[in-house]
């Protein structure tokens, strides 16, 4: 609980700044969040911080490349898109990995998780031809290591 209190407080200070008004509301917000965590028992599993930083690095790199790809398609005289749906089958059985992978897919330019089921996720992509299942699989493996 102490870790969550410190984490939430640091996030609040980073977003709202450090003045007397923001500290007052930050204490209320952090206290409320901790109360909800304790009441609903919403505790994530243990996190491997080294694997988390590796995941963030790979994700940010893929997001940058995806953003460049989408920008290049928009600027191009011919709009080179072939939108469609692809099904990605989860290899991990961990619920946190599935949820965060689907959210990560949403944050990657040109892709969107449409339907998330127990064993798979339906992904809408800007170009079915350029969709890389291996890049999604590598993110899933990294997330699996984060929660090991």
């Amino acid at each position: 609980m102490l870790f969550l209190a410190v984490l939430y407080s640091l996030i609040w200070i980073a977003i709202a700044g450090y003045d007397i008004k923001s500290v007052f509301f930050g204490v209320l917000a952090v206290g409320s969040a901790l109360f909800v965590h304790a009441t609903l028992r919403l505790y994530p599993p243990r996190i491997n911080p080294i694997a988390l930083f590796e995941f963030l690095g790979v994700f940010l790199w893929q997001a940058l490349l995806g953003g460049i790809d989408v920008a290049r398609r928009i600027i191009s005289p011919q709009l080179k898109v072939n939108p469609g749906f692809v099904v990605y089958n989860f290899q991990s059985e961990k619920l946190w990995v599935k949820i965060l992978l689907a959210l990560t897919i949403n944050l990657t330019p040109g892709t969107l998780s449409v339907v998330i089921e127990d064993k798979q996720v339906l992904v809408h992509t800007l170009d079915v031809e350029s969709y890389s299942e291996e890049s999604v699989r590598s993110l899933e493996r990294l997330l699996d290591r984060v929660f090991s």
Side-chain angles (χ1 to χ4, degrees):
M1 188 66 94
L2 178 65
F3 173 75
L4 286 175
V6 170
L7 177 68
Y8 289 162
S9 298
L10 290 175
I11 291 171
W12 183 270
I13 290 170
I15 292 172
Y18 189 80
D19 64 41
I20 198 68
K21 289 179 187 175
S22 67
V23 170
F24 173 75
F25 288 109
V27 168
L28 292 177
V30 169
S32 299
L34 293 174
F35 176 76
V36 169
H37 270 277
T39 304
L40 299 178
R41 301 178 194 268
L42 297 174
Y43 297 105
R46 291 195 173 266
I47 294 174
N48 178 346
I50 295 170
L52 178 63
F53 284 116
E54 185 179 353
F55 166 77
L56 289 174
V58 171
F59 165 69
L60 290 173
W61 179 250
Q62 286 186 1
L64 175 69
L65 293 178
I68 291 170
D69 178 57
V70 170
R72 203 174 61 231
R73 289 173 192 271
I74 291 171
I75 294 171
S76 172
Q78 307 99 2
L79 192 58
K80 297 177 184 175
V81 295
N82 183 14
F85 294 95
V86 292
V87 175
Y88 177 79
N89 295 307
F90 295 115
Q91 287 186 335
S92 177
E93 294 296 323
K94 298 173 186 169
L95 180 62
W96 283 97
V97 171
K98 294 175 184 179
I99 291 170
L100 288 176
L101 183 64
L103 292 172
T104 302
I105 289 170
N106 287 343
L107 292 174
T108 306
T111 58
L112 178 67
S113 300
V114 180
V115 178
I116 304 166
E117 295 178 350
D118 185 43
K119 302 283 184 191
Q120 62 190 18
V121 60
L122 181 65
V123 178
H124 182 272
T125 181
L126 193 60
D127 188 3
V128 178
E129 305 295 322
S130 68
Y131 170 78
S132 170
E133 183 171 329
E134 186 51 41
S135 65
V136 178
R137 181 91 48 224
S138 70
L139 288 173
E140 182 181 15
R141 281 192 295 266
L142 286 170
L143 278 171
D144 208 31
R145 284 188 28 226
V146 168
F147 295 107
S148 59

